[in-house]
Amino acid sequence: MNHPSNSALRADQPSVIDNDEISLLELWVILVRRKLWVLSALAICMGGAVGYLLVKTPVYEARIKLRIGQVAGAGLFELPEVLSSRLLAMHGEDAADGVKRERPFLKQASVPKSIPATVELVAEADSPADAVALLARVFTEVQKTHDQTFRANLRLMNERIQNLDAQRVALQQQFDDASGLIEQLKPRDPVQASLIMLERGRISVSMNDLDAEKPALAQKLTPPQTQSTELLGEVVAPEKAAAPKRVLVLTLALVLGLIGGVLLAFIVEFLSKARERRGSPIDCATDSSARRDA
């Protein structure tokens, strides 16, 4: 029994490979022949995207950054993490467990790491005016609460400065009185005059301490050591809707439509070839002879 040689097998192998391979040109011919399926899938995806954009209510977002005030020596009026949590509880989307607020509401209250003592607020609303109005109202509430603490601490520091002035006047009077007594006691009681001189020295030291403390307190009353809660920038109304993102939605629809159309075209081509092979005359004749032989 003769077997085909290895060279014959190798000679036949390239032809088999060539028959199995599908060139890019053949793929392009299939896509051109089935272009209606590609265009149909693309039209369906793009139509769905356009319909979604028409039905979807646009959402606008406005954002602000507020810097929490402080008084020197007393610290911040409120920690940023505490303030952000409090504002989300009062104005955030989640009013309670399972209860959602309607727009406008605070979408985000975060603490930027790059700017200390700062909270960034993002409001979400159905219109730019509503988003800006909510942020303005939230900031007004925060500022009102913090201003009470600011004025109370500021009053205490101003009272301290006034007390320093009163003490300075009293010590100056004591210093002048001691100087007068020293002049009177020097001729007749030098020992008593020396004791009064020591006391006058202590009064002078106290006066110097008060003179050094007052400028330090006055400096603490100036920014940035002491300042009220304020906005960093202005509340600007958004010009474009934050959602839905029209360009992104249309781009995704275009990509999905093209991919789906190409896959659909190949599937239709495959099914068409399969039907042709099953219904070809050669296949029918082969089946008939096989039945006769059986």
Side-chain angles (χ1 to χ4, degrees):
M1 183 174 180
N2 295 328
H3 296 281
S5 63
N6 292 335
S7 60
L9 290 176
R10 286 194 297 269
D12 293 340
Q13 188 174 6
S15 62
V16 174
I17 296 176
D18 291 339
N19 292 331
D20 292 339
E21 289 181 348
I22 300 178
S23 65
L24 293 177
L25 181 59
E26 292 174 344
L27 294 177
W28 176 253
V29 171
I30 293 174
L31 292 178
V32 172
R33 186 165 56 246
R34 306 296 178 180
K35 61 181 179 296
L36 290 179
W37 292 98
V38 177
L39 295 176
S40 298
L42 181 60
I44 292 173
C45 290
M46 294 301 293
V50 172
Y52 170 78
L53 294 176
L54 292 176
V55 174
K56 181 68 174 178
T57 302
V59 176
Y60 295 88
E61 292 182 359
R63 62 184 65 233
I64 60 171
K65 289 182 181 178
L66 61 89
R67 182 169 55 196
I68 302 174
Q70 63 180 357
V71 172
L76 297 175
F77 301 145
E78 192 172 8
L79 292 177
E81 294 79 8
V82 175
L83 177 60
S84 61
S85 300
R86 181 170 68 85
L87 293 179
L88 284 178
M90 294 175 60
H91 304 281
E93 181 180 6
D94 297 326
D97 292 339
V99 180
K100 300 291 186 180
R101 286 189 179 92
E102 295 183 358
R103 297 188 185 94
F105 54 76
L106 281 183
K107 178 183 178 181
Q108 178 183 344
S110 59
V111 181
K113 296 182 179 180
S114 57
I115 308 177
T118 303
V119 176
E120 183 176 10
L121 304 178
V122 180
E124 182 176 303
D126 294 331
S127 67
D130 290 342
V132 171
L134 175 61
L135 290 180
R137 184 170 70 252
V138 170
F139 173 71
T140 301
E141 294 175 1
V142 172
Q143 191 178 41
K144 183 178 179 180
T145 303
H146 289 181
D147 278 351
Q148 295 176 356
T149 306
F150 178 70
R151 287 194 295 268
N153 285 275
L154 201 62
R155 183 175 63 253
L156 292 175
M157 295 190 70
N158 286 325
E159 289 176 355
R160 175 59 180 164
I161 292 177
Q162 293 176 1
N163 291 334
L164 290 179
D165 292 336
Q167 292 177 19
R168 181 67 170 75
V169 171
L171 289 176
Q172 183 64 49
Q173 184 63 42
Q174 293 177 14
F175 184 87
D176 294 339
D177 293 343
S179 298
L181 286 174
I182 291 172
E183 295 299 328
Q184 294 177 8
L185 292 175
K186 270 183 181 180
R188 44 177 203 225
D189 194 349
V191 176
Q192 187 68 22
S194 298
L195 293 176
I196 295 176
M197 289 180 64
L198 292 176
E199 183 64 23
R200 188 180 68 173
R202 287 194 291 271
I203 293 173
S204 178
V205 172
S206 298
M207 291 171 60
N208 291 333
D209 292 340
L210 293 178
D211 291 340
E213 184 180 357
K214 183 178 178 180
L217 283 176
Q219 185 177 7
K220 288 181 179 180
L221 289 175
T222 59
Q225 298 186 61
T226 297
Q227 59 187 4
S228 61
T229 299
E230 59 183 359
L231 280 178
L232 298 179
E234 298 180 356
V235 184
V236 180
E239 297 181 357
K240 298 181 180 179
K245 299 183 181 299
R246 298 178 181 274
V247 176
L248 178 61
V249 171
L250 293 176
T251 302
L252 288 176
L254 177 62
V255 173
L256 292 177
L258 290 175
I259 294 176
V262 170
L263 293 177
L264 185 60
F266 288 146
I267 292 173
V268 171
E269 181 71 16
F270 173 78
L271 295 177
S272 177
K273 292 287 183 62
R275 285 195 300 269
E276 290 177 358
R277 285 195 297 270
R278 286 198 300 268
S280 62
I282 296 176
D283 294 337
C284 294
T286 303
D287 294 338
S288 300
S289 61
R291 285 195 296 269
R292 285 196 301 269
D293 294 340

